Amino acid sequence: MTARRAPRGLSILIPVALTGALVSGCTGSGDDPTDDAAVGLPPASAAPVTGAPSATADAGGFPTCDEVKAALGPEVAGLVELADSENGVATGSEGPALGCAWHTKETADSSIDLAEYGGISLGISRDPEYTEESMEPLGWNVEDGRVAAAGAWALKVGGGYDPDEQLDVTGVQVVRDGVVVVLTSGGVALQDVPQLAALTNEWALGAGVAALDLMD
């Protein structure tokens, strides 16, 4: 293992799930959206999907997405799961992982108000080799008292952590004992989605700890 290993936020399925949902929500059924950059979201190649959830996937001690949403608090209470959601545990080459996404009601209803399109994604996976020490050379690690008190550590992909900024598509990660929680958020109209305003980086760190506490 090298100190320059790719961060989990660039390798698990969550940003792609968010991108696909947002794009499908703002195009007609006959459209073929292929340009993620056109809506300000990362290309699909940045986070390959590791497999769709299925009823036979090993839960592996992961909570359900409903349990996760309840733990995240009132800030996400108004968000909804899309009708064609693939929320749940998927088993891929790196083992089982939980993927959850919730979106604004405007996204779910295919509203004509694209500025209201947006959502949040959360992923939980296991990687015992993903350590604070391995990421320190990148300078992306985040100091937070709540995270430290929970025996965890955190990072902001790309650095430049600002607790008051709205969570974005690169997201934050909270890690404890090899369990990695990745939270990302985005909207078609960049980050200016009123319903997501309370989802700051600081909130996301607390949300990450809450998700860790649900793991068996």
Side-chain angles (χ1 to χ4, degrees), residues 43-176:
S45 59
V49 174
T50 58
S54 71
T56 59
D58 181 6
F62 293 98
T64 67
C65 288
D66 286 344
E67 290 171 332
V68 172
K69 185 181 179 186
L72 298 188
E75 291 85 354
V76 300
L79 302 180
V80 299
E81 185 175 338
L82 298 184
D84 59 350
S85 168
E86 294 185 342
N87 281 5
V89 176
T91 301
S93 60
E94 296 183 356
L98 177 70
C100 307
W102 304 278
H103 299 82
T104 63
K105 292 180 179 179
E106 288 79 9
T107 307
D109 295 340
S110 297
S111 165
I112 62 172
D113 191 353
L114 298 185
E116 304 291 332
Y117 277 47
I120 181 173
S121 293
L122 179 146
I124 306 178
S125 60
R126 290 189 175 93
D127 186 349
E129 295 185 342
Y130 195 66
T131 65
E132 185 174 11
E133 292 75 20
S134 72
M135 298 307 299
E136 276 183 338
L138 294 175
W140 296 353
N141 293 25
V142 174
E143 293 185 7
D144 182 89
R146 298 163 303 161
V147 173
W153 59 279
L155 66 86
K156 168 66 177 170
V157 174
Y161 172 78
D162 182 339
D164 297 323
E165 278 189 359
Q166 187 176 321
L167 183 68
D168 61 22
V169 293
T170 64
V172 300
Q173 304 179 33
V174 183
V175 188
R176 181 170 65 198

